[in-house]
Amino acid sequence: NKPGQPLYNTEKKALRERSNSLSLSTVNNGGPRTTLLSVGTLENKKDQNPNKKLLSMETIVSYIYWLIQQPKEININALSLDIIQNGR
C-alpha cells in the first residue's frame, strides 16, 4: 500500500510495533538485533517533489552500514532519517 491508501497507516503501525517487540526480545532474551529504519523522501521521487531536498540511496546505505557496524551488545531500536528542508 502507498500513503493515502486505507491500510497504509495501519500496516506502518503494525510494522513499527513488531519491530519494537523484536528489539525488546533481543535486549531481554538475546537474539538477532533489529532496527526499524524509516526514511524520508528518496531521490527516486524527485518528479513528485521538485522543490524538496531528497535523500540519496548513498546516504541510506551509509546509515545501514553504520547500523551494522555498531557493537554487538548494542541494539538500536529505531532510526528515522529525513533532510531538514529549511536548515542552513
Side-chain angles (χ1 to χ4, degrees):
N1 284 323
K2 296 179 181 178
Q5 292 184 340
L7 292 177
Y8 178 78
N9 289 337
T10 303
E11 291 172 342
K12 199 170 179 180
K13 182 179 179 183
L15 177 62
R16 215 174 15 252
E17 289 176 1
R18 179 66 176 143
S19 180
N20 188 53
S21 176
L22 289 170
S23 287
L24 288 173
S25 179
T26 297
V27 168
N28 294 322
N29 305 313
R33 296 182 300 164
T34 59
T35 302
L36 175 66
L37 179 60
S38 301
V39 299
T41 309
L42 298 173
E43 287 178 333
N44 65 333
K45 300 290 183 180
K46 191 172 191 155
D47 292 345
Q48 298 167 353
N49 300 278
N51 299 319
K52 187 174 183 181
K53 296 176 189 174
L54 307 172
L55 288 165
S56 69
M57 285 306 296
E58 291 81 14
T59 298
I60 302 306
V61 168
S62 70
Y63 277 97
I64 292 171
Y65 182 76
W66 177 81
L67 286 165
I68 292 169
Q69 297 302 313
Q70 295 310 299
K72 298 294 182 197
E73 67 273 9
I74 298 296
N75 186 70
I76 299 172
N77 182 31
L79 181 62
S80 182
L81 304 172
D82 209 343
I83 292 179
I84 297 171
Q85 297 299 310
N86 296 321
R88 294 179 187 189

